[in-house]
Short mmCIF file of all heavy atoms in Angstrom, two decimals:
data_model
loop_
_atom_site.label_atom_id
_atom_site.label_comp_id
_atom_site.label_asym_id
_atom_site.label_seq_id
_atom_site.Cartn_x
_atom_site.Cartn_y
_atom_site.Cartn_z
N MET A 1 102.91 129.41 87.78
CA MET A 1 102.39 128.05 87.91
C MET A 1 102.19 127.76 89.40
O MET A 1 103.05 128.11 90.21
CB MET A 1 103.39 127.10 87.28
CG MET A 1 103.11 125.69 87.64
SD MET A 1 104.13 124.43 86.78
CE MET A 1 105.77 125.04 86.70
N LEU A 2 101.07 127.14 89.70
CA LEU A 2 100.80 126.69 91.08
C LEU A 2 101.00 125.22 91.20
O LEU A 2 100.50 124.42 90.38
CB LEU A 2 99.33 127.04 91.44
CG LEU A 2 98.86 126.65 92.80
CD1 LEU A 2 99.59 127.47 93.90
CD2 LEU A 2 97.36 126.83 92.98
N CYS A 3 101.77 124.82 92.21
CA CYS A 3 102.07 123.40 92.47
C CYS A 3 101.39 123.01 93.73
O CYS A 3 101.56 123.65 94.78
CB CYS A 3 103.55 123.22 92.59
SG CYS A 3 104.07 121.54 93.04
N LYS A 4 100.61 121.96 93.72
CA LYS A 4 99.96 121.39 94.86
C LYS A 4 100.49 119.99 95.10
O LYS A 4 100.77 119.26 94.16
CB LYS A 4 98.43 121.31 94.65
CG LYS A 4 97.76 122.62 94.45
CD LYS A 4 96.27 122.47 94.25
CE LYS A 4 95.57 123.79 93.99
NZ LYS A 4 94.13 123.64 93.86
N ILE A 5 100.66 119.66 96.39
CA ILE A 5 101.06 118.30 96.74
C ILE A 5 99.92 117.60 97.48
O ILE A 5 99.12 118.20 98.14
CB ILE A 5 102.34 118.31 97.59
CG1 ILE A 5 102.18 119.13 98.84
CG2 ILE A 5 103.53 118.78 96.79
CD1 ILE A 5 103.32 118.97 99.88
N ILE A 6 99.87 116.30 97.30
CA ILE A 6 98.89 115.46 97.98
C ILE A 6 99.66 114.37 98.77
O ILE A 6 99.92 113.28 98.26
CB ILE A 6 97.92 114.86 96.99
CG1 ILE A 6 97.38 115.92 96.04
CG2 ILE A 6 96.82 114.05 97.67
CD1 ILE A 6 96.63 115.36 94.85
N PRO A 7 100.11 114.69 99.97
CA PRO A 7 100.94 113.77 100.73
C PRO A 7 100.26 112.39 100.93
O PRO A 7 100.97 111.37 101.03
CB PRO A 7 101.12 114.49 102.10
CG PRO A 7 100.97 115.92 101.72
CD PRO A 7 99.97 115.99 100.66
N ASP A 8 98.94 112.34 101.02
CA ASP A 8 98.26 111.03 101.19
C ASP A 8 98.46 110.09 100.03
O ASP A 8 98.38 108.85 100.22
CB ASP A 8 96.77 111.24 101.40
CG ASP A 8 96.44 111.89 102.70
OD1 ASP A 8 97.28 111.92 103.61
OD2 ASP A 8 95.30 112.44 102.85
N LYS A 9 98.78 110.61 98.84
CA LYS A 9 99.08 109.74 97.70
C LYS A 9 100.53 109.30 97.63
O LYS A 9 100.84 108.37 96.94
CB LYS A 9 98.70 110.43 96.44
CG LYS A 9 97.22 110.61 96.17
CD LYS A 9 97.05 111.21 94.76
CE LYS A 9 95.58 111.28 94.34
NZ LYS A 9 95.48 111.85 93.01
N CYS A 10 101.40 110.06 98.27
CA CYS A 10 102.86 109.87 98.12
C CYS A 10 103.32 108.50 98.64
O CYS A 10 102.84 108.03 99.70
CB CYS A 10 103.57 110.97 98.92
SG CYS A 10 105.39 110.90 98.80
N ILE A 11 104.14 107.83 97.85
CA ILE A 11 104.70 106.54 98.24
C ILE A 11 106.20 106.62 98.61
O ILE A 11 106.84 105.57 98.70
CB ILE A 11 104.46 105.48 97.14
CG1 ILE A 11 105.13 105.90 95.84
CG2 ILE A 11 102.97 105.18 96.94
CD1 ILE A 11 105.19 104.84 94.77
N ALA A 12 106.67 107.82 98.80
CA ALA A 12 108.07 108.10 99.24
C ALA A 12 109.08 107.51 98.23
O ALA A 12 110.15 106.97 98.66
CB ALA A 12 108.32 107.54 100.65
N CYS A 13 108.86 107.64 96.96
CA CYS A 13 109.81 107.14 95.96
C CYS A 13 111.02 108.05 95.81
O CYS A 13 112.06 107.61 95.34
CB CYS A 13 109.14 106.91 94.62
SG CYS A 13 108.64 108.43 93.75
N GLY A 14 110.89 109.36 96.14
CA GLY A 14 111.99 110.24 96.10
C GLY A 14 112.26 110.97 94.77
O GLY A 14 113.19 111.76 94.67
N LEU A 15 111.48 110.65 93.74
CA LEU A 15 111.73 111.27 92.46
C LEU A 15 111.53 112.78 92.42
O LEU A 15 112.32 113.51 91.75
CB LEU A 15 110.85 110.61 91.39
CG LEU A 15 111.18 109.14 91.09
CD1 LEU A 15 110.16 108.57 90.11
CD2 LEU A 15 112.60 109.07 90.48
N CYS A 16 110.51 113.32 93.14
CA CYS A 16 110.27 114.75 93.05
C CYS A 16 111.48 115.52 93.57
O CYS A 16 111.91 116.52 92.96
CB CYS A 16 108.99 115.16 93.74
SG CYS A 16 108.89 114.73 95.48
N GLN A 17 112.09 115.07 94.65
CA GLN A 17 113.24 115.79 95.18
C GLN A 17 114.48 115.64 94.24
O GLN A 17 115.31 116.55 94.19
CB GLN A 17 113.59 115.37 96.58
CG GLN A 17 114.58 116.35 97.21
CD GLN A 17 114.93 116.03 98.63
OE1 GLN A 17 115.13 114.84 98.97
NE2 GLN A 17 115.03 117.04 99.48
N ILE A 18 114.60 114.53 93.58
CA ILE A 18 115.70 114.37 92.63
C ILE A 18 115.61 115.39 91.52
O ILE A 18 116.57 116.02 91.14
CB ILE A 18 115.68 112.94 92.03
CG1 ILE A 18 116.12 111.90 93.15
CG2 ILE A 18 116.56 112.83 90.81
CD1 ILE A 18 115.91 110.51 92.72
N TYR A 19 114.38 115.63 91.01
CA TYR A 19 114.23 116.51 89.85
C TYR A 19 114.06 118.00 90.24
O TYR A 19 114.33 118.82 89.44
CB TYR A 19 112.99 116.04 89.03
CG TYR A 19 113.31 114.73 88.31
CD1 TYR A 19 112.71 113.54 88.72
CD2 TYR A 19 114.20 114.68 87.26
CE1 TYR A 19 113.02 112.36 88.12
CE2 TYR A 19 114.47 113.47 86.63
CZ TYR A 19 113.91 112.34 87.07
OH TYR A 19 114.22 111.14 86.47
N ALA A 20 113.48 118.23 91.42
CA ALA A 20 113.28 119.62 91.87
C ALA A 20 113.63 119.79 93.33
O ALA A 20 112.79 120.03 94.17
CB ALA A 20 111.83 120.06 91.57
N PRO A 21 114.92 119.66 93.69
CA PRO A 21 115.31 119.69 95.12
C PRO A 21 115.06 121.08 95.79
O PRO A 21 114.96 121.12 97.01
CB PRO A 21 116.80 119.37 95.09
CG PRO A 21 117.21 119.74 93.68
CD PRO A 21 116.03 119.47 92.80
N GLU A 22 114.97 122.16 95.00
CA GLU A 22 114.68 123.47 95.55
C GLU A 22 113.26 123.57 96.03
O GLU A 22 112.93 124.43 96.86
CB GLU A 22 115.05 124.58 94.60
CG GLU A 22 116.49 124.66 94.23
CD GLU A 22 117.37 125.05 95.41
OE1 GLU A 22 116.95 125.90 96.20
OE2 GLU A 22 118.46 124.44 95.54
N ILE A 23 112.37 122.75 95.51
CA ILE A 23 110.95 122.83 95.78
C ILE A 23 110.46 121.77 96.76
O ILE A 23 109.69 122.04 97.64
CB ILE A 23 110.11 122.78 94.49
CG1 ILE A 23 110.55 123.86 93.49
CG2 ILE A 23 108.59 122.81 94.73
CD1 ILE A 23 110.43 125.28 94.04
N PHE A 24 110.91 120.54 96.57
CA PHE A 24 110.35 119.43 97.35
C PHE A 24 111.33 118.93 98.45
O PHE A 24 112.54 118.95 98.31
CB PHE A 24 110.04 118.26 96.40
CG PHE A 24 109.03 118.62 95.35
CD1 PHE A 24 109.40 118.81 94.05
CD2 PHE A 24 107.71 118.79 95.71
CE1 PHE A 24 108.45 119.15 93.08
CE2 PHE A 24 106.75 119.16 94.78
CZ PHE A 24 107.13 119.34 93.45
N ASP A 25 110.72 118.51 99.53
CA ASP A 25 111.46 117.97 100.66
C ASP A 25 110.65 116.75 101.15
O ASP A 25 109.59 116.44 100.62
CB ASP A 25 111.65 119.02 101.75
CG ASP A 25 112.65 118.67 102.79
OD1 ASP A 25 113.42 117.68 102.61
OD2 ASP A 25 112.78 119.41 103.77
N TYR A 26 111.09 116.15 102.25
CA TYR A 26 110.40 114.98 102.79
C TYR A 26 110.27 115.07 104.26
O TYR A 26 111.18 115.59 104.92
CB TYR A 26 111.12 113.68 102.41
CG TYR A 26 111.21 113.50 100.92
CD1 TYR A 26 112.36 113.73 100.24
CD2 TYR A 26 110.03 113.13 100.23
CE1 TYR A 26 112.47 113.58 98.89
CE2 TYR A 26 110.12 112.94 98.88
CZ TYR A 26 111.35 113.18 98.20
OH TYR A 26 111.39 113.02 96.87
N ASP A 27 109.28 114.41 104.82
CA ASP A 27 109.20 114.26 106.28
C ASP A 27 110.03 113.03 106.69
O ASP A 27 110.70 112.42 105.86
CB ASP A 27 107.73 114.16 106.78
CG ASP A 27 106.98 112.95 106.33
OD1 ASP A 27 107.62 111.94 105.83
OD2 ASP A 27 105.77 112.89 106.51
N ASP A 28 109.95 112.69 107.96
CA ASP A 28 110.78 111.55 108.44
C ASP A 28 110.42 110.24 107.81
O ASP A 28 111.26 109.32 107.80
CB ASP A 28 110.69 111.46 109.96
CG ASP A 28 111.35 112.63 110.70
OD1 ASP A 28 112.20 113.30 110.08
OD2 ASP A 28 110.97 112.92 111.83
N ASP A 29 109.23 110.09 107.25
CA ASP A 29 108.80 108.87 106.58
C ASP A 29 109.01 108.86 105.09
O ASP A 29 108.57 107.97 104.41
CB ASP A 29 107.30 108.62 106.88
CG ASP A 29 107.07 108.38 108.38
OD1 ASP A 29 107.93 107.68 109.04
OD2 ASP A 29 106.02 108.84 108.89
N GLY A 30 109.59 109.95 104.60
CA GLY A 30 109.88 110.08 103.17
C GLY A 30 108.70 110.62 102.37
O GLY A 30 108.70 110.58 101.13
N ILE A 31 107.65 111.15 103.02
CA ILE A 31 106.51 111.68 102.38
C ILE A 31 106.77 113.12 101.97
O ILE A 31 107.33 113.92 102.69
CB ILE A 31 105.25 111.57 103.26
CG1 ILE A 31 105.02 110.12 103.66
CG2 ILE A 31 104.00 112.17 102.58
CD1 ILE A 31 104.79 109.15 102.53
N VAL A 32 106.31 113.51 100.78
CA VAL A 32 106.56 114.82 100.19
C VAL A 32 106.07 115.97 101.03
O VAL A 32 104.99 115.92 101.63
CB VAL A 32 105.97 114.90 98.75
CG1 VAL A 32 104.47 114.83 98.75
CG2 VAL A 32 106.48 116.09 98.01
N LEU A 33 106.93 117.00 101.08
CA LEU A 33 106.65 118.29 101.66
C LEU A 33 107.13 119.34 100.73
O LEU A 33 107.95 119.11 99.86
CB LEU A 33 107.36 118.48 103.00
CG LEU A 33 107.08 117.53 104.16
CD1 LEU A 33 108.09 117.72 105.27
CD2 LEU A 33 105.67 117.74 104.65
N LEU A 34 106.66 120.55 100.89
CA LEU A 34 107.22 121.71 100.16
C LEU A 34 108.37 122.22 100.94
O LEU A 34 108.26 122.45 102.14
CB LEU A 34 106.16 122.75 99.88
CG LEU A 34 105.05 122.30 98.92
CD1 LEU A 34 103.94 123.34 98.89
CD2 LEU A 34 105.62 122.13 97.50
N ASN A 35 109.45 122.40 100.29
CA ASN A 35 110.72 122.83 100.91
C ASN A 35 110.62 124.15 101.67
O ASN A 35 111.20 124.27 102.75
CB ASN A 35 111.84 122.87 99.86
CG ASN A 35 113.23 122.74 100.47
OD1 ASN A 35 113.40 122.27 101.57
ND2 ASN A 35 114.18 123.18 99.76
N HIS A 36 109.96 125.12 101.12
CA HIS A 36 109.96 126.47 101.72
C HIS A 36 108.98 126.58 102.91
O HIS A 36 109.17 127.48 103.76
CB HIS A 36 109.60 127.52 100.66
CG HIS A 36 110.60 127.54 99.56
ND1 HIS A 36 110.31 127.12 98.29
CD2 HIS A 36 111.91 127.93 99.58
CE1 HIS A 36 111.40 127.24 97.54
NE2 HIS A 36 112.39 127.74 98.27
N ASP A 37 107.98 125.76 102.97
CA ASP A 37 106.99 125.76 104.08
C ASP A 37 106.41 124.35 104.25
O ASP A 37 105.55 123.94 103.53
CB ASP A 37 105.88 126.79 103.78
CG ASP A 37 104.86 126.90 104.89
OD1 ASP A 37 104.93 126.13 105.89
OD2 ASP A 37 103.94 127.74 104.77
N HIS A 38 106.97 123.65 105.21
CA HIS A 38 106.54 122.27 105.41
C HIS A 38 105.05 122.08 105.74
O HIS A 38 104.54 120.98 105.57
CB HIS A 38 107.41 121.62 106.51
CG HIS A 38 108.78 121.30 106.02
ND1 HIS A 38 109.68 120.68 106.81
CD2 HIS A 38 109.48 121.51 104.82
CE1 HIS A 38 110.86 120.54 106.16
NE2 HIS A 38 110.69 121.03 104.96
N SER A 39 104.42 123.14 106.20
CA SER A 39 102.96 122.98 106.54
C SER A 39 102.07 123.30 105.32
O SER A 39 100.85 123.06 105.40
CB SER A 39 102.58 123.91 107.72
OG SER A 39 102.77 125.26 107.34
N ALA A 40 102.63 123.89 104.26
CA ALA A 40 101.86 124.25 103.11
C ALA A 40 101.53 123.04 102.22
O ALA A 40 102.29 122.07 102.17
CB ALA A 40 102.57 125.31 102.30
N GLN A 41 100.43 123.13 101.49
CA GLN A 41 100.05 122.10 100.53
C GLN A 41 100.15 122.62 99.12
O GLN A 41 99.91 121.82 98.18
CB GLN A 41 98.61 121.64 100.77
CG GLN A 41 98.43 120.98 102.16
CD GLN A 41 99.14 119.65 102.29
OE1 GLN A 41 98.93 118.75 101.50
NE2 GLN A 41 100.02 119.58 103.25
N GLN A 42 100.46 123.90 98.90
CA GLN A 42 100.62 124.44 97.59
C GLN A 42 101.59 125.59 97.61
O GLN A 42 101.81 126.23 98.63
CB GLN A 42 99.29 124.90 97.01
CG GLN A 42 98.61 125.98 97.77
CD GLN A 42 97.23 126.28 97.22
OE1 GLN A 42 96.63 125.52 96.50
NE2 GLN A 42 96.72 127.47 97.54
N GLU A 43 102.18 125.90 96.45
CA GLU A 43 103.16 126.95 96.32
C GLU A 43 103.22 127.46 94.91
O GLU A 43 103.13 126.67 93.96
CB GLU A 43 104.55 126.39 96.74
CG GLU A 43 105.65 127.32 96.65
CD GLU A 43 106.98 126.76 97.12
OE1 GLU A 43 106.99 125.89 97.98
OE2 GLU A 43 108.01 127.17 96.56
N MET A 44 103.33 128.77 94.76
CA MET A 44 103.59 129.33 93.41
C MET A 44 105.02 129.06 93.06
O MET A 44 105.94 129.25 93.89
CB MET A 44 103.26 130.85 93.39
CG MET A 44 101.82 131.19 93.53
SD MET A 44 100.80 130.51 92.24
CE MET A 44 101.37 131.37 90.80
N ILE A 45 105.26 128.57 91.82
CA ILE A 45 106.61 128.24 91.38
C ILE A 45 107.16 129.32 90.53
O ILE A 45 106.56 129.71 89.55
CB ILE A 45 106.58 126.88 90.65
CG1 ILE A 45 105.91 125.77 91.49
CG2 ILE A 45 107.94 126.48 90.21
CD1 ILE A 45 106.61 125.51 92.85
N SER A 46 108.39 129.74 90.87
CA SER A 46 109.06 130.76 90.06
C SER A 46 109.35 130.25 88.67
O SER A 46 109.48 129.04 88.47
CB SER A 46 110.30 131.24 90.78
OG SER A 46 111.25 130.23 90.79
N GLU A 47 109.46 131.15 87.75
CA GLU A 47 109.72 130.78 86.32
C GLU A 47 110.96 129.92 86.17
O GLU A 47 110.97 128.96 85.39
CB GLU A 47 109.78 132.04 85.48
CG GLU A 47 109.59 131.75 84.06
CD GLU A 47 109.38 133.03 83.26
OE1 GLU A 47 108.56 133.89 83.63
OE2 GLU A 47 110.10 133.18 82.19
N ASN A 48 111.99 130.22 86.94
CA ASN A 48 113.25 129.47 86.80
C ASN A 48 113.18 128.05 87.34
O ASN A 48 114.09 127.26 87.03
CB ASN A 48 114.42 130.25 87.43
CG ASN A 48 114.30 130.47 88.89
OD1 ASN A 48 113.19 130.61 89.41
ND2 ASN A 48 115.40 130.48 89.60
N GLU A 49 112.18 127.71 88.13
CA GLU A 49 112.06 126.37 88.69
C GLU A 49 110.95 125.54 87.99
O GLU A 49 110.79 124.40 88.27
CB GLU A 49 111.72 126.41 90.19
CG GLU A 49 112.91 126.74 91.05
CD GLU A 49 113.98 125.63 91.04
OE1 GLU A 49 113.64 124.45 90.94
OE2 GLU A 49 115.17 126.00 91.12
N GLN A 50 110.17 126.21 87.07
CA GLN A 50 109.04 125.50 86.48
C GLN A 50 109.41 124.27 85.70
O GLN A 50 108.73 123.29 85.80
CB GLN A 50 108.22 126.53 85.61
CG GLN A 50 107.51 127.51 86.42
CD GLN A 50 106.70 128.47 85.61
OE1 GLN A 50 106.54 128.29 84.41
NE2 GLN A 50 106.12 129.47 86.28
N SER A 51 110.47 124.29 84.98
CA SER A 51 110.89 123.12 84.19
C SER A 51 111.14 121.95 85.08
O SER A 51 110.72 120.80 84.80
CB SER A 51 112.08 123.47 83.32
OG SER A 51 112.51 122.34 82.61
N ASN A 52 111.88 122.16 86.18
CA ASN A 52 112.18 121.09 87.12
C ASN A 52 110.93 120.55 87.77
O ASN A 52 110.78 119.30 87.97
CB ASN A 52 113.16 121.57 88.22
CG ASN A 52 114.51 121.88 87.63
OD1 ASN A 52 114.90 121.42 86.59
ND2 ASN A 52 115.22 122.67 88.39
N VAL A 53 110.01 121.39 88.18
CA VAL A 53 108.81 121.00 88.78
C VAL A 53 107.89 120.20 87.82
O VAL A 53 107.28 119.19 88.15
CB VAL A 53 108.00 122.17 89.40
CG1 VAL A 53 106.61 121.77 89.86
CG2 VAL A 53 108.81 122.72 90.61
N LEU A 54 107.84 120.63 86.58
CA LEU A 54 107.10 119.88 85.57
C LEU A 54 107.68 118.49 85.36
O LEU A 54 106.96 117.51 85.22
CB LEU A 54 107.07 120.66 84.24
CG LEU A 54 106.09 121.82 84.18
CD1 LEU A 54 106.32 122.61 82.91
CD2 LEU A 54 104.65 121.34 84.26
N THR A 55 108.99 118.39 85.38
CA THR A 55 109.60 117.05 85.26
C THR A 55 109.24 116.19 86.48
O THR A 55 108.88 115.00 86.27
CB THR A 55 111.14 117.18 85.16
OG1 THR A 55 111.45 117.91 83.99
CG2 THR A 55 111.80 115.81 85.04
N ALA A 56 109.29 116.73 87.68
CA ALA A 56 108.94 116.00 88.84
C ALA A 56 107.47 115.55 88.76
O ALA A 56 107.11 114.40 89.09
CB ALA A 56 109.14 116.86 90.11
N TYR A 57 106.60 116.45 88.32
CA TYR A 57 105.17 116.15 88.17
C TYR A 57 104.98 114.99 87.19
O TYR A 57 104.24 114.02 87.48
CB TYR A 57 104.43 117.41 87.66
CG TYR A 57 103.14 117.16 87.01
CD1 TYR A 57 102.01 116.81 87.78
CD2 TYR A 57 102.98 117.22 85.63
CE1 TYR A 57 100.77 116.58 87.20
CE2 TYR A 57 101.71 116.97 85.02
CZ TYR A 57 100.65 116.65 85.84
OH TYR A 57 99.43 116.45 85.27
N ARG A 58 105.68 115.00 86.05
CA ARG A 58 105.57 113.93 85.06
C ARG A 58 106.09 112.62 85.56
O ARG A 58 105.58 111.57 85.16
CB ARG A 58 106.23 114.38 83.75
CG ARG A 58 105.54 115.48 83.08
CD ARG A 58 106.23 115.85 81.74
NE ARG A 58 105.67 117.01 81.18
CZ ARG A 58 106.28 118.16 81.00
NH1 ARG A 58 107.55 118.28 81.35
NH2 ARG A 58 105.66 119.17 80.43
N LYS A 59 107.11 112.67 86.38
CA LYS A 59 107.76 111.43 86.86
C LYS A 59 107.06 110.79 88.06
O LYS A 59 107.25 109.61 88.38
CB LYS A 59 109.23 111.71 87.21
CG LYS A 59 110.09 112.20 86.04
CD LYS A 59 110.35 111.05 85.07
CE LYS A 59 111.28 111.48 83.99
NZ LYS A 59 111.59 110.45 83.08
N CYS A 60 106.27 111.56 88.79
CA CYS A 60 105.57 111.02 89.96
C CYS A 60 104.69 109.88 89.58
O CYS A 60 103.68 110.04 88.85
CB CYS A 60 104.77 112.14 90.65
SG CYS A 60 103.94 111.53 92.18
N PRO A 61 104.93 108.67 90.09
CA PRO A 61 104.13 107.52 89.67
C PRO A 61 102.73 107.44 90.24
O PRO A 61 101.90 106.69 89.74
CB PRO A 61 104.99 106.32 90.19
CG PRO A 61 105.70 106.87 91.35
CD PRO A 61 106.02 108.28 91.02
N VAL A 62 102.45 108.27 91.28
CA VAL A 62 101.13 108.16 91.89
C VAL A 62 100.36 109.50 91.82
O VAL A 62 99.29 109.70 92.46
CB VAL A 62 101.23 107.71 93.38
CG1 VAL A 62 101.71 106.27 93.43
CG2 VAL A 62 102.12 108.64 94.19
N ARG A 63 100.91 110.46 91.11
CA ARG A 63 100.28 111.77 90.89
C ARG A 63 100.04 112.48 92.24
O ARG A 63 98.97 113.08 92.49
CB ARG A 63 98.98 111.67 90.09
CG ARG A 63 99.18 111.22 88.68
CD ARG A 63 99.87 112.32 87.89
NE ARG A 63 100.07 111.95 86.49
CZ ARG A 63 101.22 111.96 85.85
NH1 ARG A 63 102.31 112.34 86.52
NH2 ARG A 63 101.33 111.65 84.61
N ALA A 64 101.03 112.48 93.09
CA ALA A 64 101.00 113.20 94.38
C ALA A 64 101.26 114.67 94.12
O ALA A 64 101.27 115.43 95.15
CB ALA A 64 101.90 112.60 95.36
N ILE A 65 101.58 115.06 92.90
CA ILE A 65 101.82 116.48 92.58
C ILE A 65 100.82 116.87 91.53
O ILE A 65 100.56 116.14 90.56
CB ILE A 65 103.20 116.66 91.98
CG1 ILE A 65 104.31 116.14 92.95
CG2 ILE A 65 103.51 118.08 91.54
CD1 ILE A 65 105.70 116.01 92.37
N GLU A 66 100.22 118.01 91.72
CA GLU A 66 99.32 118.64 90.77
C GLU A 66 99.82 119.99 90.32
O GLU A 66 100.38 120.74 91.15
CB GLU A 66 97.88 118.79 91.36
CG GLU A 66 97.22 117.45 91.65
CD GLU A 66 95.85 117.63 92.19
OE1 GLU A 66 95.40 118.77 92.55
OE2 GLU A 66 95.14 116.60 92.35
N ILE A 67 99.62 120.31 89.03
CA ILE A 67 100.10 121.55 88.48
C ILE A 67 98.87 122.30 87.91
O ILE A 67 98.11 121.71 87.16
CB ILE A 67 101.13 121.34 87.37
CG1 ILE A 67 102.35 120.61 87.90
CG2 ILE A 67 101.52 122.67 86.69
CD1 ILE A 67 103.17 121.33 88.90
N THR A 68 98.82 123.62 88.20
CA THR A 68 97.82 124.48 87.59
C THR A 68 98.52 125.67 87.03
O THR A 68 99.33 126.34 87.73
CB THR A 68 96.79 124.97 88.67
OG1 THR A 68 96.23 123.80 89.31
CG2 THR A 68 95.70 125.79 88.06
N GLU A 69 98.29 125.98 85.77
CA GLU A 69 98.86 127.12 85.15
C GLU A 69 98.10 128.34 85.60
O GLU A 69 96.85 128.37 85.51
CB GLU A 69 98.81 126.99 83.62
CG GLU A 69 99.64 125.87 83.07
CD GLU A 69 101.12 126.06 83.20
OE1 GLU A 69 101.60 127.19 83.19
OE2 GLU A 69 101.81 125.03 83.36
N LYS A 70 98.79 129.38 86.04
CA LYS A 70 98.15 130.63 86.50
C LYS A 70 98.49 131.73 85.55
O LYS A 70 99.56 131.83 85.05
CB LYS A 70 98.52 130.97 87.92
CG LYS A 70 98.01 130.03 88.94
CD LYS A 70 96.57 130.45 89.22
CE LYS A 70 95.97 129.51 90.27
NZ LYS A 70 94.71 129.88 90.68
#
């Protein structure tokens, strides 16, 4: 699964990091970043993290996370 983030849409609600802390992080303003590479806008998600990332995706109120099945 490929996870893409759209920081311009992020409202810093914090839900993605609550549900998938291994994948999501935040900048100083609370805007979403990918935990493993803060400069990246997308990341392949390992099978063991997919459930958490899907939950974060579903809970994001502004759709700042996109999921593509690969």
Side-chain angles (χ1 to χ4, degrees):
M1 167 172 42
L2 179 65
C3 176
K4 296 181 183 180
I5 57 170
I6 308 166
D8 290 342
K9 287 186 174 182
C10 182
I11 59 169
C13 71
L15 291 174
C16 59
Q17 192 179 42
I18 289 170
Y19 291 107
E22 295 295 320
I23 303 301
F24 300 106
D25 196 8
Y26 299 104
D27 67 13
D28 292 338
D29 295 321
I31 302 301
V32 67
L33 298 170
L34 291 170
N35 201 22
H36 299 110
D37 182 354
H38 286 181
S39 64
Q41 298 292 303
Q42 62 185 20
E43 179 178 328
M44 289 301 293
I45 304 302
S46 66
E47 199 169 310
N48 62 327
E49 285 295 326
Q50 288 182 9
S51 177
N52 293 340
V53 171
L54 283 171
T55 300
Y57 161 75
R58 290 181 187 117
K59 298 288 185 177
C60 181
V62 294
R63 295 292 182 232
I65 302 168
E66 294 181 350
I67 300 295
T68 305
E69 296 292 329
K70 290 279 180 174

